Amino acid sequence: MSLTALDVMARWLHILAVVVWMGHNYANVVQNPRFQPARPADGSANDWSLAALRREHGIFRHASLVVLITGVYMLWFRGILADAILLSGRHAVIGLGVWLGLLMVLNLWFVLWPHQKKVLGFVPASREERVRCSRVTFLASRTNTILSLPAVFFMVAGAHGAWLF
Ligand code: HEM
C-alpha cells in the first residue's frame, strides 16, 4: 500500500477512533451528570458483566492509541511533525490540537485507567480506596471531555482554518 493511500486511511481511522473515544466520554456525561461515589460491591457483578465492562473500557482506551498513532503518521507524512510539536509557523494551530490530544492520551492511560481498574473491581481495593478512585476517575474523565472541545477546534482549524489566524 502506498504511503499516500496509508495517509488517506489514517485520516478516516483517526476520525473514527476519535468518535469512539469521545463518544464514550460524552455518553459518560449524559449517564453520570454528577459525581456519584463508587457503590459497595454487592456481588451482583458476574463474569458476563465484568467481561462486558472489560471490552467496553478496552475498546475506548485503545481507540485513543489509534488516534495518537494515525495522527502522528499524518503529521510525519505531511513533513510537519517537528513544526507541529514545536508550534512553529502556521502549523502551530494543529500543533495546539496535538498537544491537547497528547495530554488527553496521557491523562487516560496514566491517571484515569489505573484508578478505574479499582473502581470497576478489575483489581482488589478497599471500599474507601474505591470511593477515592471514583472521584479521581470522574474528574479525569471530565477533564478529557472539556479538553476535547478545543482539541477538535484546533484539529479542524489546522486542516481548513488557516484564515482564522
Ligand atoms: C493525540 C494526538 C493527535 C495527533 C498527533 C493528531 C493529528 C492530526 C492530523 C495530522 C490531522 C490531519 C490534519 C490535516 O488534514 O491537515 C488530524 C485531523 C483531525 N483530528 Fe487529530 N490528532 C490528535 C488528536 C486528536 C484528538 C484528541 C481529536 C479529538 C478530540 C482529534 C480530532 C481530529 C479531527 C476531527 C480531524 C479532522 C480535521 C479535518 O480534516 O477537518 N485529533 N489530527
Side-chain angles (χ1 to χ4, degrees), residues 7 11 23 30 33 36 75 82-83 111 130 136 138-139 149 152 162 164-165:
D7 177 63
R11 169 190 285 282
V30 176
Q36 290 158 350
L75 290 173
D83 283 356
V111 180
R130 289 184 62 237
V136 175
F138 175 80
L139 294 173
L149 305 174
V152 169
L164 274 169
F165 302 88

Side-chain angles (χ1 to χ4, degrees), residues 4-120:
T4 308
L6 212 53
D7 177 63
V8 174
M9 202 177 79
R11 169 190 285 282
W12 290 107
L13 260 183
H14 188 77
I15 295 171
L16 181 68
V18 163
V19 170
V20 170
W21 179 20
M22 289 303 112
H24 187 276
N25 265 58
Y26 302 154
N28 197 329
V29 174
V30 176
Q31 283 164 350
N32 310 304
R34 273 174 297 286
F35 170 63
Q36 290 158 350
R39 283 182 291 282
D42 55 9
S44 63
N46 56 38
D47 292 352
W48 182 88
S49 61
L50 272 180
L53 269 179
R54 273 185 202 287
R55 201 170 41 248
E56 177 200 336
H57 288 269
I59 289 171
F60 95 84
R61 221 176 37 257
H62 290 90
S64 73
L65 296 182
V66 174
V67 169
L68 179 61
I69 294 162
T70 54
V72 169
Y73 174 79
M74 288 191 282
L75 290 173
W76 171 80
F77 179 76
R78 286 168 176 76
I80 63 170
L81 184 58
D83 283 356
I85 296 287
L86 299 172
L87 302 179
S88 88
R90 69 185 184 83
H91 300 304
V93 179
I94 194 155
L96 285 170
V98 170
W99 278 108
L100 287 167
L102 281 175
L103 210 57
M104 291 165 68
V105 172
L106 294 174
N107 176 20
L108 171 58
W109 283 88
F110 298 108
V111 180
L112 205 158
W113 179 231
H115 291 88
Q116 197 154 41
K117 281 191 275 192
K118 293 180 183 168
V119 176
L120 298 174

